[in-house]
Amino acid sequence: MILPIYTYGQPVLRKVAEDITPDYPELKKLIENMFETMVHADGVGLAAPQIGLPIRVVTITLDPLSDEFPEFKDFNRAYINPHILEVGGEEVAMEEGCLSLPGIHETVKRGNRIHVKYMDENFVEHDEVVEGYLARVMQHEFDHLDGKMFIDHISPLRKQMIKGKLNTMLKGKARSSYKMKQIK
């Protein structure tokens, strides 16, 4: 089922999400719906707060990039209760966008290596060091779980320049090709 994506201004996007337990109701179905919603909106990542749930669940698909990056073929993963333990490596600037901020793209600097702990869909714990593009996507999505958005990483000047677009979202007048849950 395709779910509406919550846009900038929705309070759930600024809450710190809670860890969940294996008995979370209908978790498999939730993850399926998150993948379907994300792919339908042409996203590569989706965090549960973006569909209105203040829980630590993220889905990531890098498969759409596999023509250019064959190592991402069939890359579709769910991350439960993820926590970044350390960000390191070289700081790399790259343009980011977000399904919760339709029409906004800004350059963000992020470390290109992270140490992360998470559970997979079967609640098997993983402790990994991740590098490159996946590390960026994970940082972006896991930020949502801590009540942060990529615009929190841009300069005050850049934030001022997108203020009109943000205000449009706060008025519930954003446009996108996918279903949204806006402020009314």
Side-chain angles (χ1 to χ4, degrees):
M1 176 193 328
I2 295 171
L3 305 167
I5 295 173
Y6 283 51
T7 59
Y8 177 78
Q10 292 285 358
V12 70
L13 294 173
R14 293 304 191 175
K15 285 184 179 170
V16 175
E18 298 288 326
D19 283 350
I20 62 170
T21 59
D23 61 351
Y24 188 84
E26 298 191 49
L27 180 60
K28 294 270 190 227
K29 185 70 177 158
L30 170 63
I31 290 169
E32 284 174 27
N33 291 342
M34 287 178 68
F35 272 112
E36 187 177 355
T37 300
M38 172 181 62
V39 169
H40 178 264
D42 292 326
V44 295
L46 186 66
Q50 292 180 275
I51 55 164
L53 298 173
I55 59 172
R56 297 188 79 84
V57 177
V58 166
T59 54
I60 294 177
T61 180
L62 298 182
D63 187 61
L65 308 173
S66 65
D67 285 348
E68 197 172 334
F69 302 98
E71 66 271 25
F72 295 146
K73 182 79 178 138
D74 298 322
F75 186 101
N76 299 291
R77 294 204 186 135
Y79 299 88
I80 298 169
N81 302 335
H83 293 274
I84 295 175
L85 306 176
E86 182 182 353
V87 177
E90 180 185 341
E91 272 214 340
V92 178
M94 186 180 276
E95 187 176 273
E96 293 186 17
C98 181
L99 297 175
S100 292
L101 293 159
I104 297 178
H105 295 86
E106 291 291 330
T107 300
V108 176
K109 284 185 180 180
R110 295 190 188 268
N112 71 345
R113 184 175 60 246
I114 61 172
H115 178 198
V116 62
K117 270 189 168 181
Y118 65 91
M119 310 267 195
D120 62 24
E121 290 179 62
N122 300 310
F123 276 82
V124 174
E125 188 173 42
H126 296 262
D127 185 333
E128 299 175 352
V129 172
V130 179
E131 297 186 355
Y133 188 69
L134 177 57
R136 171 172 294 275
V137 175
M138 290 171 100
Q139 288 173 78
H140 176 110
E141 296 307 328
F142 298 173
D143 268 359
H144 282 297
L145 305 178
D146 292 325
K148 297 178 190 161
M149 301 179 86
F150 84 89
I151 58 172
D152 298 336
H153 298 284
I154 63 175
S155 72
L157 176 62
R158 290 301 311 160
K159 207 176 267 184
Q160 188 64 34
M161 293 177 78
I162 63 170
K163 191 173 184 157
K165 290 180 181 179
L166 295 174
N167 285 336
T168 297
M169 283 180 227
L170 290 175
K171 292 175 185 166
K173 297 184 179 181
R175 294 180 177 264
S176 75
S177 60
Y178 47 86
K179 213 163 48 166
M180 295 184 298
K181 173 91 170 143
Q182 300 188 66
I183 300 279
K184 296 205 181 198

